[in-house]
Amino acid sequence: MTRWIAAALAISLCPAAASAQTDVQSAVAAPGRPADQVALDAGRKPAEVLAFLGLKSGDVAADIMAGSGYYTEIMARAVGPKGKVIAVEPEQFYTGQPKAIAAWDALEARAANVELAVGPFGTLAAAPASLDFTLMHLVYHDLYWESAKYKVPRVDPSAFLKSLFAATKPGGIVGVVDHVGAAGDTRAIVDTLHRIDPAVIKADFKAAGFVLEAESPLLRAADDDIAKLVFDPAVRGKTDRVVYRFRKPG
């Protein structure tokens, strides 16, 4: 807890961090975001999360498995016209999906600095040392998921992190937010609950060469029943979540 308090104080005292927080607060408050996404803000605390993680104006950022584009749009507004956000979306959740295509067309019309990159699940096609910032919001665990129904193949998390490490600039940041799960068989836990043991995240990123620079208690929830599926109405939107800031040395 002392480390978390120190991190919070650092954010409040550092002029650059204060400026970044202003950018993301303005991005969250900007008009035009879909109402169903705005409704998620109270539980996700996007301004506080992105300020803690260190997103700043002018960054070239990636939103991995961007889904509906909730964070993509906020990040695009925060990085401003001199920055860019690459929304990485698995092809099976976009190609041939009229609603998804329409939603992304509308988002790109609202945010000109968004680039949608559709490709195979669990892959990242980005130029070496091209990313200042990457966000993995509630999706890192999905690298351990496989589903015939959704055409999600078995992937190798270490291979993805190798690609991400190469794509990250020296000194670049990767922010990870994910649902807390118990220790055990990671793939089995992900398959049944869509949760992940935080120790697995830390170990995976360390093995890939990233350094865990800080973690925040912003989304911790001590009363979460981690034996429940994250989509269970009893816990949905209220799960215990870790917020990690990893950095590539350099």
Side-chain angles (χ1 to χ4, degrees):
M1 183 62 73
T2 301
R3 177 170 55 183
W4 289 336
I5 293 172
L9 287 173
I11 288 175
S12 66
L13 295 175
C14 174
S19 176
Q21 186 167 18
T22 299
D23 289 339
V24 294
Q25 286 175 336
S26 297
V28 171
R33 294 175 57 217
D36 61 337
Q37 295 191 15
V38 173
L40 298 173
D41 292 349
R44 292 185 174 183
K45 303 179 182 179
E48 295 92 333
V49 168
L50 290 175
F52 169 77
L53 294 176
L55 180 71
K56 61 186 184 299
S57 178
D59 275 353
V60 174
D63 185 9
I64 305 298
M65 298 189 215
S68 66
Y70 172 89
Y71 260 112
T72 301
E73 184 165 2
I74 294 171
M75 290 164 59
R77 294 175 185 271
V79 301
K82 293 184 179 179
K84 179 173 72 170
V85 177
I86 303 165
V88 179
E89 184 67 353
E91 56 195 2
Q92 55 267 62
F93 301 139
Y94 178 84
T95 304
Q97 304 292 326
K99 288 185 178 180
I101 292 170
W104 277 102
D105 285 347
L107 191 157
E108 290 179 288
R110 295 192 301 269
N113 58 341
V114 167
E115 175 186 320
L116 180 61
V118 179
F121 187 96
T123 64
L124 176 65
S130 61
L131 300 174
D132 297 293
F133 182 95
T134 296
L135 179 67
M136 300 191 73
H137 178 255
L138 306 181
V139 298
Y140 183 70
H141 70 268
D142 285 324
L143 294 178
Y144 284 93
W145 179 49
E146 44 189 316
S147 169
K149 177 180 178 181
Y150 293 103
K151 300 179 182 178
V152 174
R154 187 182 185 94
V155 299
D156 180 1
S158 65
F160 176 85
L161 290 181
K162 181 178 180 180
S163 297
L164 180 57
F165 189 84
T168 303
K169 294 179 181 179
I173 293 169
V174 178
V176 177
V177 179
D178 220 326
H179 307 283
V180 172
D185 183 330
T186 301
R187 291 189 183 273
I189 292 169
V190 169
D191 183 58
T192 56
L193 303 176
H194 280 270
R195 295 175 179 269
I196 189 167
D197 178 4
V200 172
I201 302 173
K202 291 179 180 179
D204 287 358
F205 273 80
K206 182 178 180 180
F210 290 100
V211 173
L212 176 59
E213 186 172 75
E215 54 187 287
S216 169
L218 274 167
L219 301 178
R220 298 310 303 261
D223 59 350
D224 177 30
D225 181 354
I226 65 171
K228 288 186 180 296
L229 173 68
V230 300
F231 305 118
D232 186 310
V235 298
R236 188 166 190 169
K238 301 176 289 186
T239 57
D240 187 20
R241 286 154 285 169
V242 292
V243 181
Y244 293 148
R245 183 172 75 234
F246 293 99
R247 195 177 294 273
K248 179 176 178 175

